[in-house]
Amino acid sequence: MRGRKPYRSTLFGLLILVAALFPAFLQAADISPGTVVVAVDSSRSLSPGDMKGMWDTVHGILDHMPAKMAFGLMAFGDEPQWILEPPATAAQISEALPQIRPVGNFTLLNDALIMAARRIPESGIILLLTDGRDENSATTVEDVAGICRRNHVRIFPIEVGRRVDGKALRRLALLSEGSVLGRAGRVEAAEAADSILQGLGEAAGEVEASRPEVQAPPATELPAATPVPPQVETPSWLLPLLLLLLLAICAVFLLLLRRPKASGSPTPIGERKEWETDPVLRIDEAAPAPDPEVRLGPTPPMEKEADELRLDPSAYERLPFSGDLDRTTVLDEQHILSLREEGKTSRSFRLREDRAFAVGRAPGVNTLVLQSKALSTQHFKIVPHDGGFAIVDLESTNGTLVNGRRIRAHHLNSGDVIQAGDIEFEYKRMLQSLS
């Protein structure tokens, strides 16, 4: 149970982090997705009926806009003036619209558009309701197009009045990459709202694409106040879904921590020797492995030099019989590795129970160094295992065979024949008399 405390601390820290960040996620969802300035023609060229048609059209569009949208309201006749500066709400715009009355003798359309575009320094939409006639403005359509391009503002005109200059309205829309929504009283509110939101998204994309190339606006065109940056509206269901997903992951993690330890884990028997603390030898699971093969434990230290026997191995195969019944013969089991090379005398080596025995071509890293080109620099290793010995192939090029079968790791039995390249070995367990 003690080993689980760090995991529980990590889990509790994750829960605290989620709780701390969740209000920020909710706040991010409330960010305004953009700014729309409603610019209304208030000159005497429009009749009270035209004005009422404008109010009804604007109300319908506002009803289909996101609740967190930032709005502004401007009227222009003899001069442009702000009724409500951004950021205002849709409800405030709806309340202020009926207060606008036709006044003045001129229509400063271009000057009003310049004033609105300056109030939207990064991106936004001007919803323009007018007959398209400009009278007595100090600026031109080209001036309007220039500031709209710089500030990524799009103009969406709606035709109002009996004498509409449709060509002028289409020109304003084309130069600012907006579109004419139609005639007041005949505009489909839902479609108009969708067009405005699409225009906001495109304008915001242009701003993001142009951020590496920072262009300072002219000093005369600085914004009067910090604008509300356009944002894409976040669906209201997304953040609760993310929170539920995080809580589900934490619950699964807790269940995994509380799962009881699987039975059948190996239990250490007796005291471990010093070499048993070495890292566990890893065996390639993808390689073919016959049934007596085993997965080995820690690799013991390698024997530095091979201890070659000077006696004939056949001397260990039989035990001399003694007629002296009063004397007990003490036997010692020996593990012998015999080497047979073509054209050379057979040699035998004693395997130690506390040392590994490595075979290969590279000096300094092998117990037995052989110069056969069929061997790898480190071909195989024999290590103590389960009261006997096991052989492990060291990812050699030509592989290691035991009794004709290629192995990765194999528990050796007396009489097993080992083939490494063109060299043959034989493993034997023999009894030797000590008394």
Side-chain angles (χ1 to χ4, degrees):
M1 297 297 292
R2 291 180 180 177
R4 295 181 181 176
K5 289 184 178 179
Y7 295 101
R8 290 182 176 177
S9 300
T10 302
L11 179 61
F12 293 149
L14 179 62
L15 291 174
I16 293 173
L17 180 62
V18 171
L21 292 181
F22 189 62
F25 290 151
L26 295 179
Q27 184 179 3
D30 292 339
I31 293 177
S32 171
T35 301
V36 175
V37 173
V38 181
V40 178
D41 189 340
S42 61
S43 65
R44 294 184 183 275
S45 60
L46 299 181
S47 67
D50 295 333
M51 301 294 285
K52 184 178 184 304
M54 283 196 298
W55 308 157
D56 295 340
T57 301
V58 173
H59 286 315
I61 294 175
L62 292 179
D63 289 341
H64 289 83
M65 299 298 283
K68 299 299 179 180
M69 178 77 71
F71 290 93
L73 179 60
M74 161 186 287
F76 56 92
D78 286 345
E79 61 179 357
Q81 59 178 341
W82 285 105
I83 307 300
L84 290 172
E85 292 193 33
T89 64
Q92 291 173 328
I93 300 296
S94 297
E95 291 178 3
L97 277 172
Q99 302 175 13
I100 300 176
R101 295 288 184 268
V103 293
N105 299 315
F106 300 101
T107 307
L108 276 67
L109 171 60
N110 294 335
D111 290 352
L113 293 175
I114 293 287
M115 183 175 174
R118 286 178 177 174
R119 190 61 181 83
I120 312 174
E122 278 201 339
S123 64
I125 297 295
I126 298 177
L127 181 60
L128 176 64
L129 294 98
T130 181
D131 57 8
R133 299 180 181 277
D134 178 81
E135 299 171 337
N136 212 33
S137 282
T139 57
T140 65
V141 173
E142 287 74 17
D143 296 329
V144 174
I147 191 171
C148 286
R149 283 194 298 269
R150 286 192 298 272
N151 292 3
H152 304 282
V153 174
R154 285 165 162 72
I155 301 174
F156 284 76
I158 294 178
E159 300 172 352
V160 181
R162 290 167 293 177
R163 299 173 57 193
V164 175
D165 189 347
K167 181 178 179 180
L169 294 179
R170 290 194 302 272
R171 185 181 182 192
L172 287 171
L174 288 173
L175 290 177
S176 65
E177 299 184 14
S179 63
V180 178
L181 297 179
R183 188 172 184 83
R186 302 177 187 176
V187 174
E188 182 63 37
E191 294 180 2
D194 289 342
S195 298
I196 292 172
L197 291 175
Q198 182 179 355
L200 281 171
E202 293 173 355
E206 291 178 0
V207 172
E208 292 299 324
S210 63
R211 285 196 187 280
E213 300 177 2
V214 179
Q215 296 181 357
T220 57
E221 297 178 3
L222 290 177
T226 303
V228 179
Q231 300 288 337
V232 179
E233 184 178 13
T234 304
S236 59
W237 52 265
L238 179 60
L239 295 176
L241 179 62
L242 290 176
L243 180 61
L244 289 176
L245 180 60
L246 286 174
L247 292 177
I249 292 173
C250 294
V252 172
F253 191 57
L254 279 174
L255 289 176
L256 291 177
L257 288 179
R258 299 186 62 180
R259 186 174 61 181
K261 187 177 180 181
S263 60
S265 300
T267 303
I269 300 176
E271 296 184 357
R272 292 184 177 270
K273 299 179 182 179
E274 182 180 355
W275 54 264
E276 290 182 330
T277 61
D278 293 346
V280 176
L281 177 64
R282 300 188 180 276
I283 300 174
D284 186 3
E285 296 293 346
D291 275 337
E293 295 186 16
V294 296
R295 179 179 293 276
L296 300 181
T299 304
M302 185 184 71
E303 186 176 356
K304 296 301 182 182
E305 295 182 359
D307 183 14
E308 183 176 351
L309 295 180
R310 300 303 180 185
L311 300 178
D312 185 356
S314 62
Y316 296 96
E317 295 179 356
R318 292 179 297 175
L319 193 66
F321 174 77
S322 172
D324 187 358
L325 299 180
D326 292 333
R327 181 181 179 186
T328 301
T329 302
V330 179
L331 302 178
D332 180 33
E333 186 177 50
Q334 299 291 322
H335 300 268
I336 305 300
L337 183 67
S338 299
L339 165 64
R340 296 195 289 265
E341 293 183 271
E342 185 178 357
K344 296 183 180 180
T345 304
S346 176
R347 292 185 287 168
S348 297
F349 304 89
R350 181 185 293 110
L351 301 176
R352 294 179 55 178
E353 295 181 355
D354 61 345
R355 289 289 184 269
F357 189 97
V359 177
R361 288 192 293 112
V365 294
N366 291 296
T367 311
L368 178 60
V369 179
L370 300 172
Q371 296 304 321
S372 172
K373 294 183 179 179
L375 290 177
S376 296
T377 54
Q378 287 183 284
H379 202 98
F380 68 84
K381 181 183 291 188
I382 297 177
V383 296
H385 177 262
D386 196 18
F389 284 86
I391 182 171
V392 180
D393 179 72
L394 301 179
E395 299 184 358
S396 60
T397 302
N398 294 318
T400 301
L401 283 70
V402 176
N403 300 327
R405 302 178 69 180
R406 185 163 183 167
I407 59 94
R408 292 291 294 166
H410 177 84
H411 184 83
L412 290 170
N413 298 306
S414 184
D416 281 350
V417 177
I418 303 167
Q419 185 76 32
D422 55 356
I423 300 177
E424 187 176 88
F425 301 84
E426 184 178 2
Y427 168 76
K428 290 184 180 181
R429 300 175 69 166
M430 298 180 179
L431 297 177
Q432 178 184 16
S433 174
L434 298 182
S435 60

